[in-house]
Every structure is written in structure tokens, then in C-alpha cells.
Amino acid sequence: MELYEKLLRGEEKLSLVGLGYVGMPIAVAFAKKIKVVGFDLNEKKIALYKNGVDPTKEVGNEVIASTTVEFTADPGKLREAKFHIVAVPTPVNDDHTPDLSPVEGASRILGQNLTKGSVVVFESTVYPGVTEEICVPILEKESGLQCGVDFKIGYSPERINPGDKVHRLETIVKIVSGMDEETLDTVAKVYELVVEAGVHRAQSIKVAEAAKVIENSQRDINIAFMNELSIIFNKMGIDTKSVLEAAGTKWNFLKFYPGLVGGHCIGVDPYYLTYKAEELGYHSQIILSGRRINDDMGKYVAESMVKNLIKADIPVKKAKVAILGFTFKENCPDTRNTKVIDIYKELGEYGITPIVVDPAADEEEAKNLYGITFETMDAVRDMDGVIIAVAHKEFLDLDKAAISRFYNRKHEKKVLLDIKGLLMREEYLTEDYIYWRL
């Protein structure tokens, strides 16, 4: 508790390692209470923060401009802090095995700048055991310090939902854990400074790691069930959304919906859990089945576009198709691990090169990651097909008249795929439209 008291008195600082969609809001929140060093290797990102620009759009430029966070790309500044929070991504490799290189790299940098008496808390989503079995040895090797004697560790899984203005760091109960009771108490007290909803003290670090990884695995499985239902009901000629609305009138029906499952959590975390299970000799059945369904949904959407173009007597090869929305979720600039790219690539297999429009996305990121350049809405003209892929606020006001202007007037049928079910289906069940949704 001595460290907690020193943080309150301004005698010690807290550091945040990794200033992305998760780390930056945490740093900003703590800076309202205590002294904070915000570290990230990306010098360009640090420059934006220093200039009062929020590229993540999580807290806004005004908040960034007024925060007292000391933004830096200098690892040496970490030596000024005693309480460290690591919030770096934990993606998967192409073969779906965990890519721990970001958290390992962060551990090395922090270890090289770790001082006696520090507490290190990891927030990155991992499988049970990573914090103690992988991160701690790196910290010890790089620092020359001994865990449990010279420094302590804890784990508090991030629960921030990028783009969500309701469920924020302050309003979501925070799971906290520590290597011993003293550390747990310190970690809990520190997070209670900013988390109004309170904290849940997990029994151990591994329990906290496991709790996080199953949260998103559960959502993934439920969405996979909805996606499978969508495939079945489409074959039956039944509207899935209408079925779910009817079933949803029962008090205990879980209200999940079909869709593309991308991003850094729901589409990734299950692979961390199943990877560890495989190491222990257990082959997942339910979790991996759900993953297979969700991973194939981009291909399924693209195939549905092709089938409907054929139904409309429109030649598939070189057909003009527009995709509205590219990010992994609505009203968020993040394009990493978006499943819209699967639609784009699959259409390419049929000789279609879609134009992509996304007013919310990080254009530079999309160009670097996927080689895609976005078009403006003005470019969506003379189309053979349109896919509304993401529910950005910019697309919510599209009415039938506006959508009709997207199409080649020579076609008798306008092929429209509404993945998110944004539109009133009844308006498009007309002779001049082929309307399809999950």
C-alpha cells in the first residue's frame, strides 16, 4: 500500500506501455488522478498525441490536448515510474497460433527500465500462464531483478470496447489480480481510482487470465450459432432477423445477431484458449467449430453477392461492386483484423475488384495493411451491386432514393446486400431490387 500512497501524493508515477485503443484511454483516465507516463514505440503516434490529436477517436482531440499524460517514445522515461501497466495487442499468426511478440517485446523494454519496488500489471489478453511463465522470466532477465523480491506482478484484463461511448473503462467492473495479497491490494486500490464500477478481486493471476479469454470465446460461439442459423434460414427462404425478433420476445433468449467477427478480441481470443488446450492434449470441439463458421462468413457473403448477380442476369466477371464500410466495427477507425477484407478478396477470385468506401477508417493503416485505397461516396455510381458491410453512422441515413442512385440504371434488378440489417427490408422487396441480409 506504500506505493499506492506515494502515487496519490505525486511522489511516484504510473506508466502505460502501449498507447492504442485500449492503453491511451487508460492513461488519460489515470492522469486525472495521478502522474502518468504514456509510452509507445510508435513515434508518429506519440507526435500526434503531443499535438492534441486522437487518431483512435476514443477520447477525442480536446481531451488529448488537455491531458497531463507525459507522452513519450523514449523507453528510458519508464524508469521514472513504479507502477506499470502493459496494454499491447496479442494477435494471432496466420496459422491461428498466438503471436506473443508484442507482449514479449514490451516485457523486454520494460525489463530494461525496471527499478526495485515496482509493480507490473499486464492487461493484454493471453491464455492462462503467459504472465507468470513467459513475461516474468523476460522481466527478470532484462532487469536483473527477482520477481517477488525486487518487483511484483499482477494481471487485470482490459475490457474497453473500442468505439463504445457507453461501456467505458470507468463504467465496467475491472477484474484485478496479484501474485500475493499485498500486490492484489495495491493493484485493486490503484484501479479503484478510475473505475467507478468497482473491481473484482480474482483468486489468482491465472484465474483473471482465464476469465478474460472466455468472455470473448463465449460471444464468439453465440455469434457463430447466429451465423449458422442465418445460413440455414437463407436456404429456407426465411428472414433471420425476423426470426430473432420473434424469438427475442422470450425473457431468457440471448440476443445475439449474425455478422462478421473481426477485431482483436472476439475473433482472436478463442485461439489463445484452444492453443493452450492443445498443448495439454485436449482438442477443442465447440470453440473451434464456432471459429470455423465465423472465419468463413466473409467468403459466404461474397458468394451470396455472386449468386445474386447471376440471379439478376448481370455478368459476374468485372462487375462493379461497392463495399460500404471496411473497419472491424462501426464508428471506429481501426481496420486491423477486419473481416471485410475476406469479402474483398473472395470477390477478387471471381474477377471483381470492388471499390471500398469508409469515411471512418484509418486510410493510411488500410493502405499499409491491405493495399486498399478508399473512394468517396461520390464514386459509388453505375454499380452492379452494393454491400453495406459496416453500420457507420454515416450510412444510417441512407434512404431508398439515395441507394438507388448508386446503381447502373440499365439493370432491371439492383443487387443489395445489407450485412448488418440496417435497412427496412420491406422497402426493398420490390421488383427492381434483390435484397439480401444475414
Side-chain angles (χ1 to χ4, degrees):
M1 290 300 290
E2 183 183 355
L3 176 54
Y4 170 70
E5 297 294 341
K6 286 185 176 181
L7 287 168
L8 286 182
R9 293 195 298 265
E11 297 171 10
E12 295 290 359
K13 297 179 182 179
L14 176 149
S15 87
L16 211 301
V17 180
L19 297 174
Y21 290 83
V22 171
M24 184 273 293
I26 297 172
V28 169
F30 273 113
K32 296 174 183 177
K33 305 286 184 177
I34 57 180
K35 293 180 179 179
V36 176
V37 174
F39 169 77
D40 198 288
L41 283 173
N42 188 328
E43 294 183 3
K44 184 176 180 181
K45 184 191 294 181
I46 292 297
L48 287 173
Y49 288 146
K50 285 184 174 180
N51 289 321
V53 178
D54 176 13
T56 71
K57 300 181 181 178
E58 283 298 300
V59 300
N61 294 347
E62 187 176 335
V63 173
I64 289 293
S66 62
T67 185
T68 59
V69 175
E70 186 179 354
F71 294 113
T72 182
D74 177 12
K77 297 292 289 184
L78 295 173
R79 293 179 178 272
E80 298 179 9
K82 274 289 194 289
F83 192 101
H84 305 276
I85 297 175
V86 179
V88 295
T90 41
V92 292
N93 298 304
D94 292 339
D95 62 356
H96 297 149
T97 56
D99 177 8
L100 294 174
S101 58
V103 76
E104 290 172 341
S107 297
R108 276 192 289 273
I109 290 172
L110 183 54
Q112 291 161 8
N113 296 280
L114 199 61
T115 58
K116 283 188 176 183
S118 293
V119 173
V120 181
V121 179
F122 289 87
E123 288 216 4
S124 306
T125 304
V126 293
Y127 57 79
V130 168
T131 301
E132 294 160 295
E133 298 164 15
I134 294 178
C135 297
V136 166
I138 294 174
L139 290 172
E140 290 183 324
K141 178 183 177 182
E142 297 295 336
S143 66
L145 303 176
Q146 184 179 349
C147 184
V149 177
D150 301 312
F151 69 93
K152 300 291 185 73
I153 59 158
Y155 181 80
S156 180
E158 58 89 2
R159 280 177 161 176
I160 289 176
N161 186 22
D164 190 334
K165 303 307 178 185
V166 177
H167 301 100
R168 312 298 299 153
L169 171 68
E170 297 82 1
T171 62
I172 306 170
V173 174
K174 198 83 165 71
I175 296 174
V176 295
S177 64
M179 66 182 298
D180 52 38
E181 284 300 320
E182 181 185 13
T183 307
L184 174 59
D185 205 37
T186 299
V187 172
K189 288 293 185 184
V190 170
Y191 276 105
E192 283 173 342
L193 288 172
V194 295
V195 182
E196 297 168 8
V199 302
H200 172 84
R201 300 187 180 210
Q203 189 180 44
S204 68
I205 288 175
K206 286 184 179 179
V207 165
E209 290 170 324
K212 171 57 182 177
V213 82
I214 70 164
E215 288 175 16
N216 288 323
S217 297
Q218 182 188 68
R219 286 187 59 79
D220 192 46
I221 292 166
N222 278 295
I223 296 171
F225 177 45
M226 296 298 115
N227 279 332
E228 188 167 55
L229 290 179
S230 176
I231 294 169
I232 294 170
F233 290 145
N234 270 319
K235 289 183 177 294
M236 294 180 174
I238 301 172
D239 181 53
T240 306
K241 189 175 182 180
S242 298
V243 174
L244 296 179
E245 287 173 352
T249 59
K250 190 180 181 187
W251 76 91
N252 60 352
F253 185 80
L254 301 179
K255 294 188 178 182
F256 287 89
Y257 298 93
L260 302 176
V261 184
H264 322 290
C265 295
I266 302 177
V268 172
D269 296 356
Y271 286 124
Y272 273 73
L273 185 56
T274 57
Y275 172 84
K276 188 60 178 179
E278 291 273 4
E279 277 194 340
L280 298 172
Y282 179 79
H283 181 73
S284 165
Q285 300 178 64
I286 293 176
I287 299 172
L288 285 180
S289 292
R291 277 282 75 233
R292 282 192 293 272
I293 291 171
N294 287 341
D295 276 345
D296 286 343
M297 289 309 289
K299 180 179 180 182
Y300 174 66
V301 170
E303 289 174 348
S304 297
M305 169 55 77
V306 169
K307 290 176 182 177
N308 282 304
L309 286 173
I310 293 171
K311 190 184 298 184
D313 292 324
I314 297 172
V316 172
K317 191 173 183 179
K318 296 185 179 180
K320 295 181 68 177
V321 174
I323 299 176
L324 306 187
F326 190 75
T327 59
F328 85 90
K329 68 181 296 185
E330 63 273 10
N331 306 319
C332 175
D334 200 350
T335 66
R336 293 172 300 170
N337 200 33
T338 175
K339 291 302 175 183
V340 180
I341 188 63
D342 294 347
I343 301 174
Y344 184 93
K345 288 181 177 178
E346 189 65 22
L347 288 175
E349 295 292 318
Y350 291 93
I352 300 170
T353 303
I355 66 167
V356 182
V357 176
D358 196 316
D362 185 327
E363 295 186 33
E364 183 178 350
E365 181 180 79
K367 179 70 174 177
N368 291 336
L369 292 177
Y370 308 106
I372 289 178
T373 302
F374 297 138
E375 302 286 348
T376 65
M377 290 294 286
D378 292 336
V380 188
R381 294 289 183 269
D382 297 320
M383 294 291 124
D384 300 315
V386 174
I387 303 173
I388 303 177
V390 185
H392 287 319
K393 62 181 184 293
E394 290 87 350
F395 302 147
L396 298 181
D397 294 331
L398 289 174
D399 57 20
K400 191 174 182 180
I403 290 173
S404 294
R405 287 194 289 271
F406 294 156
Y407 291 89
N408 186 332
R409 295 181 181 180
K410 296 179 182 179
H411 297 319
E412 293 182 9
K413 299 282 189 180
K414 302 176 181 68
V415 179
L416 176 61
L417 272 58
D418 179 14
I419 296 176
K420 302 292 289 186
L422 299 185
L423 307 175
M424 292 293 292
R425 177 174 174 266
E426 292 73 19
E427 290 185 26
Y428 297 87
L429 297 181
T430 54
E431 290 186 359
D432 59 332
Y433 267 91
I434 295 178
Y435 177 84
W436 183 96
R437 69 185 182 191
L438 285 175

